[in-house]
Amino acid sequence: REVRAVWLTTYLGLDWPRTRAKDAAGVKRQKEDLCKILDELKAAGTNIVLFQARTRSATTYASAYEPWDEIFTGRAGEYPGYDPMAFAVQECHRRGMEIHAWVVSFPICHVPTAKRLGKSALPSIHPELCQKCGDVWMMDPGVPGTDKYLAKICSEIVSKYDVDGIHLDYIRYPEKTAKNKEDWRRDNITRIVRQLYNAIKEEKPWIRVSCSPVGKYSDVARYSAKGWNAYNAVYQDAVLWLKEGIMDMLSPMMYFKGNHFFPFAADWQEQSHGKVIAPGLG
């Protein structure tokens, strides 16, 4: 079956929602706006909606572990008067489309946002899992507890909602990190992917697990990735994940044209190990 998917971004309301749910009328408006988007996607032939469920250690669903994203009401941690994830699942399925919960893995939030959240911010609750990276907090892939925490988030979504997949984003080290410890870093990311995959499949074996690695896996024979690839720059050994069977589908972020796209798309496909490669287009 073809994958005709779209990333539906809730972070900062980039796609949805564009209005706040401060009362019943606001809730109604958000629901209507989402239905309009889903109608347009259905008309365009979309069959999978990657719906952003975890933004930056905040959620678009009722979580026992992390606060509501502020985009719904204008205030972080405030219940928007309905469950957006449950509503999105219902409406996608009504239109015959799959819905995959899109989980942003390691980025947490900007430092000022963490200060505003106070005790409910992840760096306050689990400082041992977090590292400051410039003006942004990140989960630390090198800490053993990170895999268990993220597995807990994925298991929560899968157990509570009738989603068809989990889509992992930013499951990589930040760009421009020091170029030592390469194998250790790759092993850390793979360990976390393995833990998340197993936790999801243990809950519901039919769930499709995917992720969006950096668009070029590594250099190919005739073309250089110009230093920007999944394997060397951000330590994502995504081909190993396909080979080991801890990833069902990849949507590499292939926001490129010409020789920056086609040789690298062919490279992904040639190393797909029978799994689905659906290039993500910018």
Side-chain angles (χ1 to χ4, degrees), residues 78-230:
E78 186 172 42
Y79 173 56
Y82 73 112
D83 188 329
M85 188 78 213
F87 182 73
V89 168
Q90 170 190 304
E91 294 301 320
C92 284
H93 287 169
R94 192 198 303 280
R95 290 163 178 79
M97 298 189 292
E98 290 186 19
I99 180 169
H100 295 202
W102 165 10
V103 174
V104 174
S105 305
F106 299 143
I108 298 172
C109 59
H110 286 89
V111 172
T113 305
K115 286 180 180 174
R116 194 163 68 247
L117 286 168
K119 291 181 180 178
S120 66
L122 191 58
S124 298
I125 301 170
H126 288 291
E128 75 283 3
L129 304 181
C130 304
Q131 285 277 0
K132 203 180 287 186
C133 191
D135 67 339
V136 174
W137 281 101
M138 300 279 294
M139 296 199 76
D140 186 348
V143 176
T146 293
D147 56 355
K148 294 178 179 60
Y149 183 84
L150 290 173
K152 191 165 63 173
I153 294 289
C154 291
S155 294
E156 178 181 55
I157 296 170
V158 169
S159 65
K160 289 183 69 168
Y161 300 95
D162 187 22
V163 294
D164 304 287
I166 293 284
H167 179 71
L168 303 170
D169 194 12
Y170 281 99
I171 189 125
R172 63 181 192 258
Y173 274 87
E175 301 92 286
K176 299 174 184 171
T177 44
K179 290 295 190 286
N180 58 353
K181 305 181 181 175
E182 284 98 338
D183 290 338
W184 179 77
R185 287 196 169 109
R186 273 187 287 271
D187 289 346
N188 285 334
I189 304 296
T190 296
R191 170 177 51 80
I192 291 170
V193 169
R194 189 181 297 119
Q195 173 89 9
L196 301 190
Y197 188 87
N198 291 336
I200 292 162
K201 295 289 183 172
E202 190 175 318
E203 192 74 45
K204 291 180 180 173
W206 59 88
I207 291 283
R208 185 152 41 157
V209 181
S210 65
C211 73
S212 49
V214 164
K216 300 173 182 179
Y217 174 60
S218 63
D219 292 347
V220 295
R222 291 181 61 189
Y223 297 99
S224 168
K226 308 293 185 187
W228 174 238
N229 66 50

